[in-house]
Amino acid sequence: MAARRRNKIEKQKRSSRRAVKRVLSTPKAVIFDIGRVIVRLDPKRAFAPISAAIPDAADRPAKRLSADHVWKLICADEHWQDWQEGRLSPAKWHRHLMRRLKLSLSYGEFRDAWNRVLDPELILPENLFIQLGARCRLALLSNTDPIHAECLERRFGFGRHFPVRIYSCQVGMTKPSPAIYRLALESLGVAASEAVYVDDIQEFVEAARQMGVDAIHFKTRDLLAAELRHRHLC
């Protein structure tokens, strides 16, 4: 009995030492999601004009679809994953949605409306990325489409702080597939245990943890700062 108790105490001590080591170890890389972590997404800003232009809704205002409803309808589309994984060109996606929603927007009008979902005011400040970049390697890992990927690269400046930028539409896979997390780790040249991943979607956070990556469920800027301080990153 005494021997069992000693063994149990020793196991607890070893576990405690491992936990302390995990807390004190500084990650070699931080991987960020983009939407609702770095960039605000504002479906109302983008899809209010589209919802108003849908013929059935415009003819019967009492039954008009909200911008959020239109966004959810689009995200639930049977070709959404093909769009996110780059198997549909922007021109084909535009034609598909025009038929689906019974709209007649030109490609340029549709592209401009689609990009308005990306709010120019960032959630996280660029000086955070400068600070982190001085301590570790940085990467972006985002489920996104070709139109948004091009807009992110062209209109937003924060990408310059991330030498590794992985967009699902360019690599043919999306989160929560283990393959896309593996690609991010390989691109950074780090092991899973040496990286931290930040995402606002719990499912994607759990997928990263299943890969052995330390993952943070993003909720607010202040809570993220506390998590990064805990890991000696800021």
Side-chain angles (χ1 to χ4, degrees):
M1 184 71 72
R4 285 183 187 174
R5 191 178 297 112
R6 282 196 299 272
N7 287 338
K8 184 177 180 181
I9 291 172
E10 187 57 33
K11 285 181 181 178
Q12 289 173 340
K13 286 181 179 179
R14 286 198 297 269
S15 177
S16 177
R17 283 195 294 270
R18 285 195 296 269
V20 169
K21 188 176 180 180
R22 284 196 297 271
V23 168
L24 294 178
S25 62
T26 301
K28 292 183 179 179
V30 182
I31 306 167
F32 281 89
D33 176 39
I34 298 177
R36 296 193 175 94
V37 174
I38 297 176
V39 176
R40 301 176 198 278
L41 301 184
D42 188 353
K44 186 176 293 186
R45 184 169 175 262
F47 297 112
I50 290 178
S51 66
I54 296 174
D56 289 344
D59 293 342
R60 290 174 290 174
K63 295 188 177 182
R64 178 174 295 166
L65 296 176
S66 68
D68 284 335
H69 194 142
V70 171
W71 177 237
K72 289 175 182 176
L73 192 70
I74 292 172
C75 291
D77 187 272
E78 60 180 331
H79 295 300
W80 176 254
Q81 190 163 353
D82 291 329
W83 172 233
Q84 294 276 291
E85 294 185 356
R87 289 187 292 277
L88 277 183
S89 69
K92 287 183 178 178
W93 179 244
H94 165 248
R95 288 196 298 270
H96 168 68
L97 285 187
M98 293 306 97
R99 287 194 300 268
R100 174 90 190 275
L101 300 175
K102 299 178 182 178
L103 290 171
S104 58
L105 298 176
S106 70
Y107 175 75
E109 291 170 330
F110 167 72
R111 180 200 58 218
D112 292 346
W114 189 258
N115 281 334
R116 279 196 292 272
V117 77
L118 303 174
D119 194 312
E121 183 181 349
L122 298 182
I123 298 170
L124 299 177
E126 283 198 54
N127 63 358
L128 171 63
F129 309 136
I130 295 171
Q131 189 177 3
L132 288 173
R135 291 173 167 80
C136 61
R137 302 165 206 172
L138 296 179
L140 296 172
L141 179 59
S142 177
N143 283 358
T144 194
D145 59 77
I147 296 178
H148 281 167
E150 189 274 336
C151 182
L152 287 166
E153 290 287 324
R154 181 168 50 87
R155 293 189 188 173
F156 293 83
F158 67 86
R160 69 181 181 273
H161 305 296
F162 295 84
V164 174
R165 300 191 291 278
I166 297 174
Y167 302 126
S168 63
C169 61
Q170 295 177 355
V171 298
M173 48 190 165
T174 49
K175 298 175 285 186
S177 168
I180 199 167
Y181 296 96
R182 197 174 297 118
L183 176 61
L185 295 170
E186 290 171 356
S187 300
L188 286 163
V190 299
S193 60
E194 297 174 322
V196 174
Y197 177 60
V198 183
D199 202 307
D200 66 303
I201 297 177
Q202 185 66 44
E203 178 187 6
F204 299 162
V205 168
E206 292 301 329
R209 289 173 180 164
Q210 289 295 316
M211 295 286 296
V213 176
D214 177 18
I216 298 169
H217 185 198
F218 180 82
K219 294 180 180 177
T220 69
R221 174 175 161 176
D222 289 342
L223 288 174
L224 175 63
E227 292 283 359
L228 294 174
R229 282 195 299 273
H230 182 65
R231 292 162 175 82
H232 306 287
L233 285 169
C234 67

